């Protein structure tokens, strides 16, 4: 089914500047060919003759599992790590239906490590419709683009440089693109659009993971799923599917998650916006609008959480059920926390993030993905509706296309599709609901594998997937020592902030050290 207008509005986009995926697809039969592995004694470039497309009806007649191989080194904490970058395609095939897709991926594997004990982590962005460009060149790969977040200066041409916060010291890293993004495409008789839905998408990613671990002798490796934004609910469903299929998942990282669309007031406007109030307060405090100014931000946000879960929740419930105006003291307290005038709260107590972004600073629009980045209304910064995306989008788009062809030595006549606008055709229905609630899927995965570790990482200034709503959703899993929540002074792409990324890396190292314990 097509999503509701509200669901489509919130469906968590990491919008790229688009770009075509190549020409029309072909038709034929589905095959799963053997892996064609270039020699690994040195670099081996790949000139891929296939033209890839992100069109809904596109598909490949067949697919070849081939890759470019590049050797390199990275110094982390004074230690030189020799690694191999493998860039190409693997075919994920559903063993029950035969439906298959050719997944484009880039794997960074440390040389000389025991594949039986070395973790392997699968990274993917969300959208739906985003390639994994942001995680690949922004977070924990061996190369990273340096940004100036939270500055609102538009980032110019950027060349990926060695990443001091790479996770290559603790895990091998596999960045993979969803079907219809990057260079990933369905294989006939399937079409790209056949994979554009909650369940079909997660099943396809399951098939890719299983193919990767089989083809690369990683069956015994600890496996970690790392999904950002819509990639987090994908992870919940995928973890359950993998566990059911007998592939053990050691850990999952939920980065800027929206696990339950049904609990988010930006998706369904008859839900309380209590999950957003602490984000509003954190942002108001960033702009020095909180009154009184808190001496300790952590304690301040805990106070706002408590207020949101009690007084605000009760008042919002009465507002939603009977349009009952809140007591003046409620609106006044919300003004003190957030900087949004009491009169605005009296007019609409269930105050949504779009209104907050427009109205907190007169004449300015706050970034949806990072509310610390703002721009003057009518300026180039706000032309695309989110200044926090505008400042980095073109630099990342241009860099990933150049990086794949030059550094990774994989070339094709196609244009790498950083973002495909497929929200309107995505099937959001899942488990009997029009929009997904994937907490039960994650619960099922944990039930099958009680040792599974879960790390949720969120940014305080993210107006797309608010940190407190993620906390509320995860509370439904009950007390579990294997579930850890960490929040940072950053936005949706937490890692674009240098200080936040370093804190993330420290938390992730601790997370990896706990796997299997």
């Amino acid at each position: 089914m097509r999503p509701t207008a509200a669901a489509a509005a919130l469906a968590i986009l990491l919008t790229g500047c688009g770009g075509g995926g190549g020409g029309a697809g072909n038709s034929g039969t589905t095959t799963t060919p053997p892996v064609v592995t270039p020699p690994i004694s040195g670099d081996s470039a790949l000139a891929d003759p296939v033209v890839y497309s992100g069109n809904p009806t596109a598909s490949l007649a067949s697919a070849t599992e081939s890759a470019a191989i590049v050797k390199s080194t990275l110094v982390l904490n004074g230690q030189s790590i020799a690694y191999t970058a493998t860039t190409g395609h693997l075919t994920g095939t559903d063993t029950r239906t035969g439906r298959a897709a050719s997944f484009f991926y880039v794997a960074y594997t440390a040389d000389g490590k025991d594949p039986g004990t070395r973790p392997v982590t699968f990274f993917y962005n969300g959208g739906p419709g985003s390639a994994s460009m942001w995680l690949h060149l922004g977070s924990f790969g061996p190369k990273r683009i340096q940004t100036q977040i939270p500055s609102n200066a538009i980032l110019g041409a950027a060349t990926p440089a060695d990443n001091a916060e790479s996770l290559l010291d603790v895990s091998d890293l596999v960045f993979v693109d969803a079907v219809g993004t990057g260079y990933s495409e369905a294989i006939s008789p399937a079409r790209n659009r056949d994979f554009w839905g909650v369940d079909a998408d997660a099943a396809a990613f399951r098939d890719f993971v299983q193919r990767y671990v089989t083809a690369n002798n990683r069956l015994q490796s600890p496996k970690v799923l790392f999904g950002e934004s819509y990639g987090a609910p994908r992870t919940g469903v995928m973890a359950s599917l993998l566990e059911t299929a007998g592939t053990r998942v050691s850990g999952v990282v939920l980065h800027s998650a929206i696990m339950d669309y049904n609990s988010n007031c930006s998706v369904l406007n008859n839900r309380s916006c209590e999950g957003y109030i602490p984000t509003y307060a954190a942002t108001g405090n960033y702009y020095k609008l909180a009154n009184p100014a808190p001496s300790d931000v952590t304690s301040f946000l805990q106070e706002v959480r408590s207020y949101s879960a009690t007084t605000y929740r009760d008042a919002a419930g009465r507002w939603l059920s009977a349009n009952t105006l809140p007591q003046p003291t409620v609106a006044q307290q919300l003004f003190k926390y957030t900087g949004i005038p009491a009169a605005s709260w009296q007019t609409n107590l269930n105050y949504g993030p779009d209104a907050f972004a427009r109205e907190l600073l007169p004449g300015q629009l706050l970034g949806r993905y990072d509310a610390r980045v703002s721009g003057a209304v009518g300026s180039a910064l706000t032309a695309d509706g989110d200044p926090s995306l505008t400042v980095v989008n073109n630099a990342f788009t241009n860099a990933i296309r150049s990086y794949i062809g030059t550094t990774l030595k994989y070339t094709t006549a196609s244009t790498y599709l950083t973002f495909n606008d497929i929200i309107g055709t995505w099937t959001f229905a899942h488990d009997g609901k029009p929009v997904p609630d994937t907490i039960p899927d994650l619960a099922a995965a944990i039930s099958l594998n009680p040792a599974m570790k879960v790390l949720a990482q969120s940014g305080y200034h993210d107006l797309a997937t608010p940190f407190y709503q993620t906390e509320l959703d995860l509370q439904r899993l009950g007390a579990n020592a294997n579930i850890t929540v960490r929040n940072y002074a950053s936005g949706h792409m937490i890692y674009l902030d240098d200080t936040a990324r370093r804190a993330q890396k420290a938390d992730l190292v601790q997370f990896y050290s706990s796997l299997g314990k």
Side-chain angles (χ1 to χ4, degrees):
M1 62 170 287
R2 293 172 65 89
T4 64
L10 182 73
I12 304 304
L13 288 168
L14 289 180
T15 41
C17 65
N26 305 303
S27 60
T29 58
T30 299
T31 59
T32 303
V35 178
V36 178
T37 305
I40 60 174
S41 57
D43 292 356
S44 177
L46 175 64
D48 190 344
V50 178
V51 176
Y52 297 95
S53 174
N55 292 333
T57 59
S59 64
L60 302 169
S62 61
T64 300
E65 293 186 323
S66 58
I69 303 293
V70 173
K71 296 287 189 177
S72 190
T73 59
L74 177 67
V75 176
L76 290 176
N77 301 316
Q79 176 188 2
S80 181
I81 301 174
Y83 68 89
T84 300
T86 304
T87 305
H89 287 82
L90 285 174
T91 298
T93 305
D94 189 318
T95 58
R96 298 169 303 163
T97 66
R99 188 163 64 181
S102 182
F103 280 89
F104 180 75
Y105 73 100
V106 179
Y108 300 98
T109 54
D111 297 340
K113 301 294 184 180
D114 180 2
T117 59
R118 170 86 167 166
V120 57
T121 304
F122 298 91
F123 293 83
Y124 35 85
N125 279 104
S130 176
S132 295
M133 166 181 76
W134 300 102
L135 283 169
H136 191 171
L137 289 187
S139 67
F140 305 108
K143 302 286 186 180
R144 181 181 62 80
I145 292 175
Q146 298 177 355
T147 72
Q148 303 173 60
I149 294 294
S151 167
N152 67 357
I154 295 177
L155 186 63
T159 300
D162 284 354
N163 183 6
E165 285 76 52
S166 176
L167 284 170
L168 197 58
D169 53 344
V170 295
S171 176
D172 291 334
L173 316 172
V174 181
F175 297 87
V176 56
D177 293 329
V179 176
T181 74
Y183 295 127
S184 295
E185 187 172 343
I187 302 173
S188 184
R191 299 291 185 262
N192 283 340
R193 66 186 178 194
D194 295 333
F195 297 93
W196 292 351
V198 175
D199 295 321
D201 167 82
F205 270 84
R206 171 204 60 197
D207 299 336
F208 169 80
V209 169
Q210 290 184 310
R211 180 61 182 151
Y212 181 89
V213 299
T214 299
N216 292 279
N217 192 29
R218 305 308 295 266
L219 294 171
Q220 301 305 314
S221 299
K223 299 165 195 66
V224 176
L225 309 179
F226 194 121
E228 176 177 321
S229 196
Y230 178 80
R234 173 189 290 141
T235 294
V237 181
M238 196 163 105
S240 178
L241 292 176
L242 283 166
E243 291 290 341
T244 301
T247 299
R248 182 57 58 97
V249 176
S250 296
V252 301
V253 180
L254 309 174
H255 187 288
S256 301
I258 176 169
M259 300 304 291
D260 181 8
Y261 277 55
N262 300 272
S263 66
N264 192 304
C265 75
S266 189
V267 178
L268 302 176
N269 59 16
N270 62 350
R271 299 295 193 269
S272 166
C273 282
E274 64 194 72
Y276 279 89
I277 303 302
T279 296
Y280 298 163
T283 301
N285 180 60
Y286 176 80
Y287 288 107
K288 303 186 185 306
L289 298 175
N291 184 22
S295 58
D296 179 75
V297 174
T298 300
S299 298
F300 170 65
L301 292 179
Q302 188 54 49
E303 176 186 327
V304 179
R305 284 184 182 92
S306 298
Y307 188 86
S308 185
T310 53
T311 304
Y312 177 83
R313 179 183 294 173
D314 292 342
R318 291 190 294 271
W319 167 268
L320 290 168
S321 62
N323 203 29
T324 301
L325 291 174
Q327 293 293 322
T329 55
V330 174
Q332 188 62 30
Q333 184 61 64
L334 289 169
F335 164 61
K336 291 180 178 180
Y337 282 149
T338 68
I340 293 293
S344 297
W345 291 106
Q346 285 289 127
T347 302
N348 180 15
L349 186 62
N350 214 39
Y351 200 78
D354 290 343
F356 181 84
R358 292 192 308 268
E359 299 173 15
L360 183 68
L361 302 179
Q364 298 281 312
L365 177 68
L366 307 188
R368 181 168 180 252
Y369 291 122
D370 194 330
R372 300 173 302 169
V373 182
S374 62
V377 173
S379 70
L381 276 172
T382 61
D384 294 325
D386 184 350
S388 65
L389 189 61
T390 298
V391 297
V392 293
N393 189 54
N394 285 344
F396 269 77
T397 298
N398 293 331
I400 189 70
R401 291 171 177 167
S402 173
Y403 175 74
I404 291 171
T406 57
T407 302
L408 300 180
K409 301 185 178 181
Y410 170 94
T411 57
T412 172
S414 310
T415 299
Y416 183 82
L417 189 56
T418 61
F419 175 71
N420 195 355
D421 189 5
I422 60 177
I423 295 294
T425 57
W426 192 266
T427 300
F428 282 89
H430 174 65
D431 200 21
K433 296 181 178 179
V435 290
D437 173 11
T438 61
I439 292 295
D441 299 273
L442 185 56
I446 293 171
S447 177
L448 291 167
N449 178 10
M452 182 187 298
K453 300 296 194 299
V454 178
L455 174 62
Q457 297 185 312
S458 299
Y460 286 134
H461 304 287
D462 179 1
L463 290 174
T465 58
F467 71 93
Y468 182 49
Q469 188 61 64
T470 296
E471 293 175 358
L472 291 173
D473 291 343
L474 291 176
Q475 285 176 11
R476 293 166 49 198
L477 294 172
N480 186 333
N482 287 335
I483 300 175
T484 303
V485 177
R486 293 287 184 267
N487 301 313
Y488 310 88
S490 192
H492 193 70
M493 287 86 92
I494 305 166
Y495 42 79
L496 296 186
D497 182 292
D498 290 345
T499 301
R501 186 182 61 260
R502 295 182 188 110
Q504 274 191 285
K505 170 66 185 285
D507 289 335
L508 284 161
V509 169
Q510 185 174 359
F511 169 78
Y512 279 94
S513 70
S514 73
L515 299 180
K517 297 180 181 177

